[in-house]
Amino acid sequence: MNNTVKLHYIVDGEDFTRAGEASADVKKNLRKLGVPPDVIRKVAIALYEGEINMVIHANGGVIDVEVSPECISMALKDQGKGIEDVEKAMQEGYSTAPDEVRSLGFGAGMGLPNMKKYTDSMKIESTVGVGTNVYMTVSIS
Amino acid sequence: MNVLEVAKELSLSVVVPGEGAAREIKGIYCCDLLSIVMGRAKADDAWITVMSNINAVAVAVLADVSCIILSEGMEFDEACKERAEMEGVCVLSSDLPTFELSRKIDLLLNLS
Ligand SMILES: Nc1ncnc2c1ncn2[C@@H]1O[C@H](COP(=O)(O)OP(=O)(O)OP(=O)(O)O)[C@@H](O)[C@H]1O
Ligand SMILES: [Mg+2]
């Protein structure tokens, strides 16, 4: 694998049952590219958490993934309601998830902490009323 | 002992065999909140839960658990079964509560 591989996804904000398709597809692609399983697991979980957040909290968005020989970079962009206090949102257990998604098993307030835990770098840019961009990288070594 | 052999030994129902014949249970993880599972479950754990919806299948794939075991008599609907089949996820079920189920598996496999 010498070249950079680029993947692009549009995440539907309506359909809960389809949430996770982008992460599943990234997982398949990484496997084909011969990326080590532990790296794939980290990327897949971090991306799924971000994807689900876009569906639950932001009515969908777009995901771009770049795979180079050294690392995997992910950019998740939405035009949802934004996060008022990013530091607070990053705390374990903080969640504004509505009851109907809690009954599906979401809303533990562990998504953003998981994204931090499983990636080597993570940056959130968010403006209330405008949207949220999340950038994550996982190095392959 | 693969996952399907464990199911047989403990009389658990096989909802979807998936890749159960090719996987082994290396640990047990019990929780129903999906993000906590993704943060804490280890690859090859048996994941015991009452959360019987389609997102559980996605989480099982991402966390790379060896199987989902539905406790307390929980059931998968057709859409969930189809998704699990498609993804190769082994799904078992039992009427037993989560603790008793974990205990039986641990006694059989001596995991802890
Ligand atoms: N893309 C987003 N747009 C707007 N708000 C967001 C976004 N992502 C996260 N948030 C806010 O940050 C909070 C914490 O997110 P986090 O993923 O940690 O927990 P959760 O999604 O509520 O529950 P869990 O991920 O455990 O199922 C959310 O409840 C929400 O208020
Ligand atoms: Mg979340």
Side-chain angles (χ1 to χ4, degrees):
Chain A
M1 186 178 62
N2 293 313
N3 301 327
T4 301
V5 175
K6 292 183 182 179
L7 305 163
H8 178 77
Y9 304 91
I10 295 166
V11 179
D12 187 341
E14 308 289 317
D15 194 350
F16 250 96
T17 57
R18 287 186 53 199
E21 280 185 359
S23 345
D25 190 72
V26 168
K27 189 176 171 177
K28 267 177 220 146
N29 274 285
L30 294 181
R31 223 186 245 161
K32 262 190 250 160
L33 291 167
V35 174
D38 57 319
V39 174
I40 296 181
R41 188 171 185 270
K42 288 194 276 186
V43 170
I45 292 176
L47 198 59
Y48 180 71
E49 291 284 16
E51 190 179 351
I52 286 286
N53 278 355
M54 288 203 299
V55 177
I56 296 179
H57 307 294
N59 205 29
V62 292
I63 298 179
D64 283 282
V65 179
E66 263 189 52
V67 189
S68 77
E70 297 81 34
C71 86
I72 295 146
S73 318
M74 297 163 264
L76 297 87
K77 297 180 181 176
D78 67 60
Q79 291 166 3
K81 61 181 186 295
I83 304 173
E84 211 172 282
D85 185 341
V86 172
E87 211 175 303
K88 196 164 155 194
M90 286 296 300
Q91 285 171 8
E92 295 188 359
Y94 177 82
S95 173
T96 61
D99 285 346
E100 64 267 26
V101 303
R102 285 180 190 269
S103 66
L104 294 173
F106 299 106
M110 289 302 293
L112 293 173
N114 278 348
M115 288 154 76
K116 189 165 178 62
K117 171 179 172 180
Y118 286 121
T119 56
D120 295 303
S121 78
M122 173 179 173
K123 194 174 88 186
I124 300 178
E125 296 166 353
S126 191
T127 311
V128 174
V130 177
T132 303
N133 298 339
V134 180
Y135 303 94
M136 300 183 282
T137 62
V138 174
S139 38
I140 305 172
S141 53
Chain B
M1 205 181 300
N2 71 42
V3 178
L4 296 182
E5 286 165 345
V6 171
K8 195 168 175 209
E9 195 71 31
L10 299 179
S11 310
L12 311 178
S13 313
V14 178
V15 181
V16 175
E19 289 166 3
R23 298 207 55 163
E24 261 179 58
I25 296 173
K26 305 257 173 77
I28 302 171
Y29 189 79
C30 310
C31 184
D32 304 314
L33 293 181
L34 303 177
S35 285
I36 297 183
V37 176
M38 284 188 281
R40 298 269 175 81
K42 291 187 282 300
D44 298 314
D45 279 352
W47 172 29
I48 307 179
T49 182
V50 294
M51 198 50 76
S52 55
N53 64 54
I54 208 145
N55 303 102
V57 179
V59 167
V61 173
L62 297 170
D64 201 22
V65 294
S66 52
C67 59
I68 298 176
I69 308 179
L70 302 171
S71 60
E72 309 274 8
M74 291 297 160
E75 286 174 13
F76 256 20
D77 64 18
E78 283 310 313
C80 292
K81 283 184 204 168
E82 229 170 76
R83 181 70 160 267
E85 257 156 40
M86 203 174 80
E87 303 274 5
V89 176
C90 175
V91 184
L92 311 175
S93 72
S94 164
D95 287 334
L96 290 174
T98 297
F99 174 74
E100 278 174 46
L101 212 45
S102 330
R103 191 164 169 275
K104 277 180 89 169
I105 297 169
D106 192 28
L107 284 174
L108 178 69
L109 299 176
N110 227 334
L111 297 164
S112 46

